[in-house]
Amino acid sequence: MEDALTNTIQPNSPETTPETTPAPDASPVPHPARAIPAALKRRIPKYSDLAPLMQFKKPEFSKEARLKRASTIWELRDMAKRRTPQAPFDYTDGAAEEEITLRRARQAFLDIEFRPGILRNVSSVDLTTEILGKTSRLPVGIAPTGFTRMMQSEGEYAGSQAAEAAGIPYTLSTMGTASIEDVAAAAPNGRNWFQLYLWTDRDRSLELIDRAAKAGNDTLMVTVDTAVAGARLRDVRNGMTIPPALSVKTVLDASYRPAWWFNFLTHEPLTFASLSRYTGTVADLINSMFDPTLTFEDLDWLRETWKGNLVVKGIQTVEDARKVVDHGADGVVVSNHGGRQLDRAPIPFHLLPAVKEAFSRDNSDAAIILDTGIMSGADIVAALALGADFTLIGRAYLYGLMAGGRAGVDRTLQILEKDMARTMALLGVSSISDLTPEHVRLLGK
């Protein structure tokens, strides 16, 4: 019986159906014919089908329409370059020596990975934050910039009014081209800060401090990284002077940017927030007026003199950040002057976590503000996540100014606000206070 079972051919064995096995060269059985969907049949298009696709927009050539087409700060920069003579554009765009620091600062923001959370309610994203005792509608303010009306004739007035409208702080530079009083009058409801360079003439510095207080500035930002002027080689090559000189080169350059020259020549000549008219190079001005003998004891004098918030700008080491707080600073700006002083300087974005950790160990509530390299709202979000309480923009604001005056600055802030809100929503974060270092990873570390 066992042998019989063993020899029984199973029903599924190949031996049972040799006659049904197709020959190797047999043609495959064709699929049954299928009807072609109507949507895939070709036909001659009807006018009624084409009409909805042929709604051509009327060309718009207004400044507002042009600015609206810019979706990034880089696009505003391109507009600014086309509309501004080379010398003032390069003064804004350039940095010291080989510009290594500036490139590294921008690259630092690219060399990160965001770590988003999912299934969070981000139907409403709140960008407001507290900085130095008051609320700012956005976690970014306008940094102090020198000679601003040279970039575009509306200058500091455009910046301060745009900041007022956006509900953020505006910082007027000692080297600004509008007076403390005029900026306060132009943006009476804005939050105005004043940036101070301490001069060898302390009486002149004291006069500026008094004027800033009387004009309603609640924060004094003292810059400490300009013992001497950096080697800004673009300015040297362009023969950059204050005010711009009408050489053969600049006249030829003007032929491509007539609007800039018309505005420059038909408005009041450049004057400064804090000094009488000056003719010469920027480096000569810095080297002749600013005090290279400053020490931490000068901060003690400032702390006694100034009754509002005192912020120190130009912090590039953790040790110096802690020390200026020990000498009375209410906040620090981690900054290398936009790469315009010492080339190969530390990168503020990289320094942030260490400064935050040091302040936490010290139980310090001093504000940590970051500038240098910011070109998008995503950059701002990354900085906040890594420990910054607030950020400042310089070049980004000036690109908007050069691209379209006050409207261009408004567009800069609109772009950054939209970037920030979108980035936070995609991270699964609905408020600034919810950002943590867990949301950002530094690539390669």
Side-chain angles (χ1 to χ4, degrees):
M1 174 67 75
E2 196 172 286
D3 290 341
L5 290 174
T6 304
N7 295 326
T8 300
I9 298 176
Q10 300 299 316
N12 294 330
S13 175
E15 288 84 349
T16 62
T17 55
E19 68 282 1
T20 62
T21 303
D25 59 347
S27 300
V29 178
H31 291 292
R34 296 178 181 176
I36 299 175
L40 297 182
K41 292 181 178 179
R42 296 194 183 276
R43 61 188 179 83
I44 297 174
K46 301 175 183 178
Y47 176 77
S48 59
D49 297 327
L50 295 175
L53 306 176
M54 300 176 64
Q55 297 179 8
F56 301 112
K57 291 183 178 180
K58 182 180 179 181
E60 295 183 88
F61 301 103
S62 67
K63 177 171 66 175
E64 289 72 19
R66 174 171 52 81
L67 291 170
K68 192 174 181 179
R69 287 194 288 270
S71 299
T72 67
I73 304 301
W74 290 106
E75 290 174 355
L76 287 176
R77 178 186 178 276
D78 291 340
M79 292 182 184
K81 188 172 185 178
R82 290 193 296 269
R83 301 179 66 83
T84 311
Q86 183 176 351
F89 178 82
D90 278 353
Y91 176 78
T92 297
D93 195 59
E97 300 179 39
E98 298 178 64
E99 304 187 356
I100 294 170
T101 298
L102 178 58
R103 289 196 298 274
R104 287 178 178 172
R106 285 178 171 161
Q107 187 63 40
F109 285 105
L110 301 180
D111 291 339
I112 66 164
E113 177 182 86
F114 281 123
R115 304 181 69 188
I118 61 170
L119 298 176
R120 273 74 163 180
N121 182 356
V122 290
S123 57
S124 176
V125 174
D126 183 7
L127 296 175
T128 61
T129 191
E130 294 290 315
I131 183 65
L132 296 169
K134 293 186 179 181
T135 300
S136 177
R137 198 179 68 81
L138 302 174
V140 61
I142 291 182
T145 59
F147 318 118
T148 312
R149 286 182 54 234
M150 181 178 64
M151 316 312 163
Q152 203 271 354
S153 58
E154 296 176 58
E156 289 85 0
Y157 303 110
S160 59
Q161 290 173 345
E164 178 186 49
I168 65 174
Y170 171 82
T171 315
L172 175 66
S173 170
T174 296
M175 311 302 290
T177 44
S179 73
I180 298 170
E181 295 77 11
D182 285 350
V183 167
N189 298 314
R191 187 179 185 189
N192 294 320
W193 297 353
F194 183 68
Q195 176 270 333
L196 177 73
Y197 287 112
L198 275 172
W199 298 349
T200 52
D201 185 345
R202 284 293 188 273
D203 289 338
R204 293 289 299 280
S205 296
L206 191 58
E207 177 189 344
L208 284 177
I209 293 170
D210 185 56
R211 286 172 58 192
K214 288 180 178 177
N217 291 259
D218 66 66
T219 297
L220 185 70
M221 183 183 295
V222 58
T223 298
V224 295
D225 58 2
T226 51
V228 297
R232 302 169 192 176
L233 300 184
R234 289 204 216 182
D235 295 347
V236 174
R237 294 173 186 128
N238 290 330
M240 175 69 175
T241 62
I242 306 296
L246 286 173
S247 64
V248 172
K249 180 180 178 181
T250 54
V251 169
L252 289 174
D253 199 26
S255 65
Y256 299 100
R257 287 98 172 176
W260 185 94
W261 280 102
F262 177 77
N263 286 331
F264 181 78
L265 297 173
T266 58
H267 285 87
E268 179 183 343
L270 295 185
T271 55
F272 299 91
S274 54
L275 50 126
S276 57
R277 291 186 183 179
Y278 173 84
T279 299
T281 68
V282 176
D284 288 343
L285 176 59
I286 291 174
N287 289 333
S288 66
M289 301 198 69
F290 299 159
D291 189 353
T293 68
L294 291 180
T295 66
F296 286 96
E297 283 64 41
D298 291 290
L299 289 183
D300 297 333
W301 173 78
L302 272 177
R303 181 68 284 174
E304 293 175 5
T305 304
W306 176 258
K307 304 308 178 186
N309 299 312
L310 179 63
V311 174
V312 179
K313 181 176 182 288
I315 298 299
Q316 298 172 70
T317 69
V318 173
E319 294 76 18
D320 283 348
R322 299 175 71 183
K323 197 165 183 178
V324 298
V325 171
D326 290 342
H327 283 265
D330 299 299
V332 298
V333 182
V334 184
S335 166
N336 58 33
H337 214 104
R340 297 164 67 79
Q341 285 294 100
L342 175 67
D343 208 9
R344 299 180 180 85
I347 303 306
F349 185 66
H350 289 162
L351 193 60
L352 264 179
V355 174
K356 181 69 173 180
E357 182 182 358
F359 280 17
S360 296
R361 287 199 309 268
D362 295 344
N363 293 318
S364 172
D365 60 357
I368 302 173
I369 303 172
L370 177 130
D371 82 357
T372 302
I374 292 172
M375 288 290 284
S376 73
D379 296 343
I380 294 171
V381 171
L384 297 171
L386 284 186
D389 297 304
F390 201 67
T391 62
L392 296 173
I393 52 168
R395 287 184 180 89
Y397 136 67
L398 293 177
Y399 292 143
L401 177 68
M402 290 185 285
R406 160 68 194 278
V409 183
D410 289 335
R411 185 60 182 154
T412 293
L413 298 176
Q414 290 164 6
I415 290 170
L416 293 177
E417 180 174 3
K418 187 175 181 179
D419 283 354
M420 286 185 280
R422 180 181 62 250
T423 301
M424 287 177 58
L426 292 172
L427 282 174
V429 172
S430 59
S431 68
I432 297 296
S433 60
D434 292 335
L435 287 167
T436 73
E438 294 301 312
H439 290 108
V440 177
R441 185 172 75 88
L442 300 177
L443 298 180
K445 291 191 177 182

